[in-house]
Amino acid sequence: MAEVDARWVRLLALGQGPEDAALDDEAASLVQQLQVEAEVSVLELALSALSHDDPWHRRAAAWVLGQFGYPEGRPFGARVLPELVRAARAERDDDVREDLVDALGKAEDVAWLDELLSFAGDPAPGVRRAVAMSVPGMPYAAPPTERALDALITLSSDPDPRVRDWATFGLGSQWSQDSPAIRAALRARLDDEDHDTAAEALLGLARRADPEALTRVRALIEEPDTLIGLVALEAAAELADPVLLPALEELARAWDGDEDEHTEALAFAIARCDPGSLEAARQIEQQIVTAVDERVAGTGWSLALTGAYPRTLAWPRRPDGAVDESVEPDLVWERRTPDGSEIDAVVVQCVTAIHEAAARRG
């Protein structure tokens, strides 16, 4: 007990010194230790510190409480979350409020989603960024709510570039949902003055096979004087369109002898865009379905695949024949190619998802 309390005391003491990267690393280490230990004594100290006069004490409390006890499923969430919300509502210091809202999101309890979204219009950019970072990662029991979607779309056009970047990343890559509204929001960011935001928008549209993404990626990789970035290659791999193959192969010839992250991404894009990949993927997908169904035989559950390469989604199928949409589906070809597919890994992943879905339904 004394050792844990000493860590808390040390964490508070760090706030009295000058800003230093080494001290930041120490603070992060102490926070993680306190979260993992999840001692009730530290819980009481952190909850009390939420009302302390010193902003550093309140920030330290937010850091510790956001994922307090996370190895055991955050056992104190029922006590912690209401206190975080109360403190965030009352907090006037922008930095502290950002940490409190970030902690609320890191608690990953969808029951408090509306409280989290209430800070989406906060005057402090850091607070809005905390919302944009947290909303896509919430453990939704079904597709994200319309309010969550609307909030992220709004944040994707935020005046602050870091907020736009995180919101666009959430819409484009963290969520698999597709809709005209999502595509419109991503297209609106394609020419964003912030390079990272524009890149996330392009990648998000490529993941949805949007024609505008294909046009843009093709123009980027076919232009001889263009500096080809990783995002263009990643987007090409997401599109997996054979029309891109000649330009990609020309790049491979020009870069022959180089070995770096760009040539690795290029090789992946070439493999994904190969015309034979579609048929190879179909055969592998059938093997996956057969293997998964064999492993869950007798449960009444099976595997359902929707979509087509490279956007094939794997869902648990319930005994009544309906697809169970209570979980985010697995993307079969996430960072995979048919010629290097890890079938066993995909099968294990799908079987695990089915067992989890079955357990939730009792």
Side-chain angles (χ1 to χ4, degrees):
M1 186 73 71
E3 182 182 2
V4 175
D5 289 352
R7 293 169 185 167
W8 173 256
V9 172
R10 174 57 181 164
L11 177 61
L12 297 182
L14 293 177
Q16 307 308 312
E19 292 187 9
D20 182 271
L23 294 180
D24 289 344
D25 290 342
E26 182 181 358
S29 177
L30 288 169
V31 167
Q32 183 180 30
Q33 293 172 38
L34 293 168
Q35 291 171 337
V36 171
E37 293 285 348
E39 293 283 354
V40 175
S41 61
V42 173
L43 174 66
E44 299 298 341
L45 289 168
L47 289 172
S48 177
L50 288 174
S51 301
H52 200 281
D53 290 340
D54 187 337
W56 178 266
H57 285 239
R58 302 198 299 276
R59 297 189 74 182
W63 297 335
V64 170
L65 292 172
Q67 291 180 300
F68 195 76
Y70 68 84
E72 302 298 330
R74 299 176 177 83
F76 301 101
R79 285 197 62 194
V80 170
L81 289 170
E83 291 303 311
L84 286 174
V85 170
R86 178 198 60 76
R89 287 175 178 170
E91 185 58 60
R92 294 295 174 262
D93 184 293
D94 289 350
D95 291 333
V96 179
R97 193 166 65 258
E98 175 183 344
D99 289 330
L100 289 166
V101 172
D102 180 65
L104 178 60
K106 284 180 177 175
E108 295 183 349
D109 187 334
V110 76
W112 293 88
L113 176 63
D114 285 345
E115 289 290 353
L116 178 65
L117 293 176
S118 71
F119 292 94
D122 193 275
V127 176
R128 301 196 302 274
R129 184 174 68 253
V131 175
M133 293 170 65
S134 299
V135 169
M138 298 293 279
Y140 300 95
T145 66
E146 286 298 317
R147 189 180 176 199
L149 176 61
D150 290 346
L152 212 57
I153 288 176
T154 298
L155 290 169
S156 72
S157 60
D158 192 270
D160 187 273
R162 293 175 300 172
V163 178
R164 295 199 305 275
D165 182 22
W166 275 104
T168 304
F169 170 58
L171 284 173
S173 296
Q174 290 184 282
W175 277 348
S176 62
Q177 285 75 20
D178 193 7
S179 72
I182 290 175
R183 292 198 186 203
L186 293 173
R187 289 194 198 103
R189 303 270 64 79
L190 281 172
D191 297 311
D192 197 289
E193 62 184 14
D194 178 67
H195 175 76
D196 290 338
T197 301
E200 292 297 347
L202 179 61
L203 195 55
L205 287 171
R207 290 173 70 92
R208 291 160 177 79
D210 190 87
E212 180 64 20
L214 180 60
T215 298
R216 298 242 179 173
V217 170
R218 188 173 185 178
L220 285 171
I221 63 177
E222 288 183 349
E223 174 54 55
D225 297 325
T226 298
L227 182 63
I228 306 298
L230 277 174
V231 170
L233 297 174
E234 291 170 0
E238 291 292 344
L239 289 162
D241 194 316
V243 74
L244 300 174
L245 190 59
L248 292 171
E249 291 179 330
E250 181 62 32
L251 279 177
R253 287 188 287 271
W255 292 354
D256 185 38
D258 295 339
E259 288 188 16
D260 56 22
E261 58 185 355
H262 285 77
T263 54
E264 183 178 338
L266 175 59
F268 183 67
I270 288 174
R272 297 261 287 201
C273 292
D274 188 297
S277 291
L278 178 58
E279 182 55 34
R282 287 173 180 160
Q283 295 178 17
I284 291 172
E285 287 172 7
Q286 185 55 54
Q287 294 175 39
I288 291 171
V289 170
T290 300
V292 171
D293 287 353
E294 287 177 352
R295 294 197 188 186
V296 298
T299 67
W301 291 72
S302 59
L303 180 66
L305 298 183
T306 61
Y309 171 83
R311 284 163 284 281
T312 308
L313 298 176
W315 304 81
R317 189 194 302 277
R318 302 196 305 257
D320 63 5
V323 168
D324 189 309
E325 298 183 351
S326 67
V327 293
E328 185 79 7
D330 290 321
L331 186 59
V332 173
W333 300 107
E334 183 77 42
R335 295 183 293 277
R336 295 188 177 97
T337 62
D339 62 349
S341 175
E342 301 170 356
I343 295 178
D344 289 342
V346 178
V347 169
V348 169
Q349 187 175 310
C350 293
V351 169
T352 300
I354 288 174
H355 284 321
E356 291 176 351
R360 279 193 301 274
R361 296 182 65 85

